Amino acid sequence: TVCGYPFPSDIWLVDDPAMPTGHHVEMPSTYVPTSEGGGTTDLSLLRRSDGFSPGMGLGTHLPGATTTGLADSAHIADSLLADSPTVLLDTATGARIPHWAELDQRSYDSPTPEDTPEGPRALLIRPAIRLEDARRYIVAIRNVVDANGTPIAPSAGFTALKKGRGFRHPSIEARRTKYAEIFATLASVGIAQDDLQIAWDFTTSSEENQTRGLLAMRDRAYEWLATQPGQSPGFRITSVQDDVDAHVARRI
């Protein structure tokens, strides 16, 4: 229902054998916000990523969604129950990942209906642990209700994928093979295809991809220091105290 959602999604990965995961992130510029001055975001940085951050939140849109029955930040363990409306599944282990769900909150006044509490707001899923590197996950959402307690109908595009119906947009046709595998994986852990309001998959980036920038900076600093005799900072350790208190392990 909203352009670019759900996010992050493997829909935005393209094959790239030069990357550790074999993919890089590629998104159209029309799918990201423009600045107030009309400028567009430079997406070239995304192409350096071979997946998505293991620490990021997940977002989608279900029109009129409430958080009724969803695990919140005070009841994270509920997200692991068999009937949890939101599921975050590790495809490598089959384990459910603890998380909580919330609606995007607005803290300012806005003249546009979209930015009011009654307007369309993202449904956010927050993993309670850091996800694994270079790992594929599936998000499944079912039984989310509106303010009247009525389950929200899936979008026309997602319904076409679930029911095998034709759809006017080529992006839906391009996803059929992918979604056949997603539905089969979810069914294997007891999540029925007919119950789904939306589902998608995403892959986290590799450790190499996440750290190579900082490691390159470190290595260049070492190389420079090696050419500067006597210029590296001098220091002398005068004392070391272990177990300083409950919050400090060591003071040097």
Side-chain angles (χ1 to χ4, degrees):
T1 56
V2 176
C3 196
Y5 268 0
F7 190 86
S9 169
D10 277 358
I11 291 299
W12 310 120
L13 292 186
V14 298
D15 292 341
D16 187 343
M19 290 295 211
T21 64
H23 305 88
H24 75 252
V25 179
E26 187 78 44
M27 287 191 72
S29 60
T30 52
Y31 278 50
V32 296
T34 57
S35 69
E36 290 187 358
T40 57
T41 302
D42 179 8
L43 296 177
S44 61
L45 285 175
L46 286 179
R47 300 187 187 104
R48 301 182 187 179
S49 297
D50 65 354
F52 301 95
S53 169
M56 73 185 303
L58 320 172
T60 189
H61 178 247
L62 295 176
T66 67
T67 56
T68 302
L70 307 188
D72 60 24
S73 58
H75 302 87
I76 291 173
D78 289 353
S79 68
L80 302 178
L81 298 176
D83 61 352
S84 173
T86 56
V87 176
L88 178 54
L89 185 72
D90 184 329
T91 63
T93 66
R96 297 191 182 205
I97 304 301
H99 62 273
W100 73 93
E102 60 187 355
L103 290 174
D104 189 18
Q105 299 298 312
R106 306 291 185 176
S107 60
Y108 56 89
D109 294 328
S110 171
T112 60
E114 302 84 47
D115 287 336
T116 64
E118 295 75 28
R121 292 189 289 170
L123 177 63
L124 304 175
I125 295 176
R126 310 284 195 186
I129 60 173
R130 184 191 184 278
L131 303 181
E132 297 293 330
D133 301 323
R135 186 71 60 89
R136 178 172 168 260
Y137 294 86
I138 293 177
V139 186
I141 299 178
R142 61 215 172 139
N143 302 323
V144 174
V145 299
D146 62 18
N148 297 318
T150 304
I152 294 168
S155 69
F158 190 70
T159 298
L161 289 170
K162 286 206 308 177
K163 303 297 185 182
R165 300 172 183 167
F167 196 74
R168 64 186 180 277
H169 199 282
S171 68
I172 298 299
E173 300 307 317
R175 300 179 196 201
R176 291 203 185 275
T177 300
K178 168 182 281 294
Y179 268 86
E181 188 278 332
I182 289 175
F183 293 145
T185 300
L186 291 174
S188 71
V189 295
I191 300 173
Q193 179 173 327
D194 288 344
D195 294 340
L196 293 170
Q197 291 163 307
I198 194 166
W200 74 96
D201 63 348
F202 68 96
T203 301
T204 54
S205 55
S206 64
E207 180 181 25
E208 177 184 347
N209 186 256
Q210 296 161 34
T211 60
R212 64 184 178 184
L214 287 173
L215 291 176
M217 293 164 61
R218 179 203 65 181
D219 293 344
R220 290 179 65 181
Y222 284 163
E223 291 169 3
W224 179 82
L225 284 171
T227 66
Q228 307 294 318
Q231 303 236 1
S232 58
F235 62 90
R236 182 169 59 92
I237 296 175
T238 59
S239 67
V240 177
Q241 181 184 359
D242 288 329
D243 300 322
V244 177
D245 57 36
H247 306 289
V248 178
R250 176 174 296 163
R251 178 175 290 147
I252 300 177

